[in-house]
Amino acid sequence: GKDCEQREPIMADDGSGSDISIPSFLMFKQDADLVKAELEANHAVRIEMQWSLPTPDDRVEYELWTTPTDIISVDFQKDFKEAAVALGNRAYFTPQMYIYDGIRSGCQGFDGENDCYNLCTNNGRYCATDPDNDLDRGISGADVVKESLRRMCIWQHYGQDDGVGVEWWDYVNEFMFRCGTEEYFANNQCVKDAMDHAAVDGSKIDQCMKDSGGLEGDAQNNLLEVQLLAKDKSGVVILPAMYVNRVPIRGSLEFPTIFKAICAGYASGTVPAVCTKCSGCPDQKSCITNGYCGTKKQQESVTTSTMIYAMMGLSVFFCLVTVIQHRRYQRQVQEQVKGIIAEYMPLDEEREHNTAVSEEDGEFT
């Protein structure tokens, strides 16, 4: 008799979920009641879970909400570049940087001063949590905001047009490799090295950060304001968060999970070849990288088997051709022999007639 939830609840551990170790997902109550009835009747129940995503057209939009210090999405950001490139213009990726509204959080005082120490920039307007929970040392919240703005500018210059952003993926990987520690996170030379190795023009990015409003003084930053609005619109509360066609993807942020979700988001008949080839492969990343499913040894085994069957087929073909030619030759020889015999038979008949005995003279004529 109770009404269903008006909004989809967030599946997050409130501190009481430590004893849950099995995969979990939400169901509508009317569906769950039927399942419970079957279980209570001691009947076996088999449930298949499939991605249910909007499939509006032949291009999928997906976005990742994260921060530069998010350790959970590290592996995904390292590995998914190949998939983004393989999907090409059939998918559009948008990286979203999660920051806090400092004014709403009370980090800007009545006099416009920053009341949250080094957690914020722009006099308390834009903030981030301290990743090491130590305000006096290590990476500060302001450092995180600055790096977030830098990545937004890199995407604006190198990924916004095509939705792939090879240089963005390269920079993120280079930064994690070179500057991921608290010693080098805010080191300008380390950041420059990361951009150089990712083929990113540092001067363009610095200018972008300034043109957007910068990080100093009580001034709005256009790019950071856009992120605050996008965060409120999406309703993100847990990081990292992945959305495919504007639908949140529940579960771990792993390569197979996200790739399958993206492939499930295409309209019928518009699924890209890379999805058809690799979405059902046990090792999807290797399939995308190598262009085939399975190991090289398996691929060679398939090639060897194919060659053996081809040779067997050719052997059978040549054997059939040989048999047919042999029979054809025999038939020709028989016809020639019959022709020769037919030519000699009249001579034999004439000879029999000429050698007959005459009754009048008793001689051979």
Side-chain angles (χ1 to χ4, degrees):
K2 293 184 179 180
D3 294 333
C4 291
E5 294 281 351
Q6 295 298 317
R7 298 181 62 184
E8 180 182 347
I10 302 298
M11 289 187 66
D13 187 1
D14 60 359
S16 62
S18 59
D19 59 338
I20 299 178
S21 59
I22 61 174
S24 305
F25 58 91
L26 295 172
M27 295 179 64
F28 287 108
K29 186 178 185 301
Q30 59 266 30
D31 298 326
D33 288 342
L34 298 176
V35 175
K36 288 169 63 177
E38 292 296 317
L39 292 174
E40 289 172 352
N42 202 27
H43 295 159
V45 176
R46 175 179 293 179
I47 299 176
E48 180 181 0
M49 184 178 70
Q50 293 182 338
W51 295 112
S52 179
L53 297 172
T55 55
D57 51 32
D58 61 351
R59 191 182 80 164
V60 170
E61 289 79 30
Y62 64 109
E63 58 184 273
L64 170 67
W65 282 92
T66 184
T67 68
T69 55
D70 174 26
I71 60 175
I72 299 177
S73 63
V74 167
D75 289 339
F76 174 80
Q77 294 183 78
K78 285 181 178 178
D79 296 338
F80 207 74
K81 172 191 168 184
E82 286 79 7
V85 172
L87 290 167
N89 61 3
R90 300 299 307 282
Y92 189 94
F93 173 62
T94 304
Q96 307 280 19
M97 298 292 111
Y98 192 95
I99 58 173
Y100 291 92
D101 188 333
I103 296 178
R104 188 181 298 178
S105 301
C107 285
Q108 188 179 68
F110 294 106
D111 56 356
E113 294 298 320
N114 183 4
D115 288 345
C116 290
Y117 191 42
N118 62 358
L119 295 179
C120 307
T121 65
N122 302 77
N123 284 28
R125 284 181 175 271
Y126 313 109
C127 308
T129 57
D130 191 304
D132 46 27
N133 295 317
D134 189 340
L135 297 179
D136 297 321
R137 58 180 296 274
I139 304 170
S140 68
D143 293 334
V144 175
V145 174
K146 183 177 182 179
E147 179 58 27
S148 298
L149 179 59
R150 181 180 292 114
R151 295 188 184 189
M152 292 163 62
C153 279
I154 293 174
W155 179 257
Q156 188 178 71
H157 279 275
Y158 294 96
Q160 189 168 299
D161 290 339
D162 62 5
V164 177
V166 172
E167 290 84 357
W168 185 90
W169 292 99
D170 289 340
Y171 170 77
V172 170
N173 277 276
E174 290 292 340
F175 184 90
M176 289 189 294
F177 174 70
R178 301 173 186 278
C179 315
T181 63
E182 63 178 48
E183 181 181 359
Y184 292 103
F185 187 91
N187 185 290
N188 291 330
Q189 184 58 47
C190 186
V191 171
K192 182 179 182 303
D193 289 342
M195 286 195 288
D196 289 343
H197 281 84
V200 171
D201 188 338
S203 61
K204 287 184 179 180
I205 305 308
D206 291 341
Q207 190 61 45
C208 170
M209 295 173 69
K210 292 178 182 178
D211 292 343
S212 64
L215 298 171
E216 303 296 333
D218 185 14
Q220 281 193 354
N221 184 290
N222 297 331
L223 291 179
L224 296 178
E225 286 292 330
V226 169
Q227 286 296 276
L228 292 178
L229 292 174
K231 184 187 72 170
D232 292 341
K233 185 177 180 180
S234 65
V236 177
V237 294
I238 302 173
L239 294 180
M242 176 64 72
Y243 287 74
V244 176
N245 285 348
R246 298 184 180 180
V247 175
I249 303 302
R250 309 302 185 190
S252 59
L253 189 67
E254 297 179 350
F255 190 106
T257 303
I258 304 306
F259 185 70
K260 286 182 178 179
I262 292 173
C263 290
Y266 289 97
S268 178
T270 66
V271 180
V274 66
C275 287
T276 305
K277 183 187 299 182
C278 299
S279 62
C281 187
D283 190 348
Q284 297 167 352
K285 185 175 183 297
S286 296
C287 177
I288 293 171
T289 303
N290 300 328
Y292 55 81
C293 185
T295 63
K296 186 175 182 180
K297 186 175 182 180
Q298 290 174 328
Q299 188 72 8
E300 291 175 350
S301 176
V302 172
T303 304
T304 303
S305 301
T306 304
M307 184 177 66
I308 291 174
Y309 286 125
M311 293 298 295
M312 291 175 62
L314 287 174
S315 298
V316 172
F317 173 75
F318 284 121
C319 287
L320 289 174
V321 171
T322 302
V323 170
I324 293 172
Q325 286 292 100
H326 179 68
R327 290 182 176 179
R328 183 178 179 184
Y329 177 74
Q330 286 183 327
R331 193 179 300 111
Q332 290 176 346
V333 170
Q334 290 175 355
E335 290 177 355
Q336 290 177 358
V337 170
K338 288 180 179 179
I340 294 173
I341 293 175
E343 292 177 358
Y344 277 94
M345 284 184 66
L347 296 176
D348 292 340
E349 291 175 356
E350 184 179 352
R351 184 178 298 173
E352 290 177 1
H353 177 74
N354 294 334
T355 56
V357 179
S358 174
E359 292 180 358
E360 296 180 356
D361 52 15
E363 295 179 355
F364 289 99
T365 56

